[in-house]
Amino acid sequence: MIRKPIRDNATITSRAISPTGGPQTSNKVLVTGGAGFIGSALVRKLLDKGYEVTVLDDLSTGLRDSLPKNDRLKLVTGDVRDFDLVSSVVRGNQKVTHLAAQAFIPFSYQRPLEVAEVNAIGSINVFKACLNHDVKRLVHVSSSEVYGSAKYTPMDEQHPLCPYSTYSVAKAAADMWAQTFHWEHKLPVVILRPFNTFGPRESLPYFIPEMIRQCVKEPVIHVGNLETSRDFTYVDDTVNAMITALETQNIEGEIINLGTRKARKMKEILSLIKKETSVEEKDIVVDQSRLRPKDVETLVTDNSKARKILGWKPETPFEDGIRKTIKWYIDNGKAWWYERHGWLWRY
Ligand SMILES: NC(=O)c1ccc[n+]([C@@H]2O[C@H](COP(=O)([O-])OP(=O)(O)OC[C@H]3O[C@@H](n4cnc5c(N)ncnc54)[C@H](O)[C@@H]3O)[C@@H](O)[C@H]2O)c1
């Protein structure tokens, strides 16, 4: 049986040839979701490295302000659910990093269809466009949430997938499509599964930004479940791994976990943030509305595959990352992106 290539309605481009006849080297990279928390840190680092960067982002959670002014940066405002748009933006880029997603888990409880359309179908649009336009490397950004709570620790890439939320179901589906497109069509994709990431320009009311906000601004601190444990990586380290995955040869089809291999309880993190913001006496109130219907108890990664095939390791000690994040928040108007958008979501 002859396999029909996936073409849809996008133009099929031929391989770019340089004037000397050899393959053209390109420093053009597309970052979907590049105006978001992790995406904007990635864009900064790519520009520092001399890349020409295009960002595709609908600015639903990201902010234009998080992107630097730079002649080598172009922002296209639009939706990954629009295949024709995705295809036109992918064209001309040899490298793509796909981060665009509805990433806030509580949002997915209320809007499962939208989350599925953006996180899963939007991802298929990106995969198809990468195939049609002969992209040489796609880094697809997944999430540790696809594993659900740890059945063993530390969690390697063989850990069974057991999504606990509609967000992570959609992320897991996108990963499986990415892998299947690699098998069926040789999509040159590397799937990264970051465990939790934190740092400046947080866009969503997750635990660390929320605890910093409340320690700095609120009279008492409202919390949900402080007994869960997560593996937190500072954002600069996460984006270093993404760039290495864009640039390392012969790793197509690999799935790679990113994290520090250290589980931290939320209550320990809160104590550290209270200490660093000098509010150790502030009272803590447990707020039932902040409890998740089905909470992942533990996420902690075995990062040996990332160390081995990317030569990557996290460099920023957790405490230093927390200090830098608090300093950024205070120095930059004490407003995370979700505060600027006026959202009342809670982790
Ligand atoms: N933050 C973490 O700890 C973490 C951990 C694991 C994985 N991830 C993944 O990393 C990626 C980035 O997450 P983040 O924390 O920076 O979140 P974020 O919300 O800041 O970034 C997502 C970006 O995608 C954009 N976007 C959303 N829907 C879109 C659409 N339909 N079309 C185009 N753009 C759209 C948003 O405006 C935003 O700029 C996501 O794929 C997320 O699932 C994040």
Side-chain angles (χ1 to χ4, degrees), residues 146-301:
V146 299
Y147 294 122
S149 199
K151 298 194 189 323
Y152 58 84
T153 59
M155 301 157 82
D156 59 16
E157 293 77 6
Q158 270 70 52
H159 189 285
L161 302 190
C162 185
Y164 275 21
S165 63
T166 40
Y167 159 79
S168 40
V169 170
K171 293 295 276 189
D175 288 13
M176 289 178 185
W177 270 307
Q179 208 174 30
T180 312
F181 274 46
H182 172 68
W183 295 330
E184 291 175 348
H185 304 282
K186 301 215 176 334
L187 178 69
V189 66
V190 177
I191 300 169
L192 296 182
R193 291 195 176 135
F195 284 54
N196 292 62
T197 294
F198 72 103
R201 301 182 187 81
E202 294 262 13
S203 54
L204 300 165
Y206 280 119
F207 186 75
I208 289 178
E210 253 306 275
M211 291 306 102
I212 293 174
R213 182 189 73 78
Q214 293 193 43
C215 283
V216 170
K217 289 184 172 174
E218 301 289 346
V220 293
I221 298 163
H222 290 263
V223 298
N225 184 357
L226 290 181
E227 296 302 321
T228 56
S229 298
R230 293 289 186 276
D231 179 343
F232 278 97
T233 305
Y234 189 64
V235 66
D236 287 358
D237 288 321
T238 302
V239 304
N240 281 341
M242 290 174 181
I243 293 176
T244 309
L246 268 185
E247 294 177 340
T248 305
Q249 300 295 311
N250 303 321
I251 58 170
E252 292 82 2
E254 297 289 353
I255 296 176
I256 307 168
N257 288 349
L258 299 177
T260 66
R261 207 182 194 275
K262 177 135 183 50
R264 290 171 202 280
K265 274 214 157 132
M266 298 301 167
K267 61 181 174 200
E268 291 159 19
I269 298 173
L270 176 52
S271 298
L272 174 64
I273 294 172
K274 284 177 91 179
K275 179 166 156 265
E276 293 296 330
T277 50
S278 310
V279 295
E280 276 161 293
E281 305 307 319
K282 221 176 234 190
D283 286 335
I284 296 171
V285 177
V286 177
D287 179 345
Q288 297 296 318
S289 70
R290 288 169 189 260
L291 298 173
R292 289 186 178 172
K294 184 168 171 68
D295 215 347
V296 172
E297 272 174 38
T298 305
L299 282 173
V300 57
T301 190

Side-chain angles (χ1 to χ4, degrees), residues 32-39 56-63 78-81 98-103 118 141-144 167 171 193-198 201-204 206 242:
T32 74
F37 157 51
I38 299 175
L56 172 63
D57 199 299
D58 72 350
L59 302 179
S60 54
T61 57
L63 274 189
D79 195 321
V80 289
R81 287 171 289 183
H98 175 47
L99 293 119
Q102 285 299 323
V118 174
V141 179
S142 171
S143 167
S144 58
Y167 159 79
K171 293 295 276 189
R193 291 195 176 135
F195 284 54
N196 292 62
T197 294
F198 72 103
R201 301 182 187 81
E202 294 262 13
S203 54
L204 300 165
Y206 280 119
M242 290 174 181

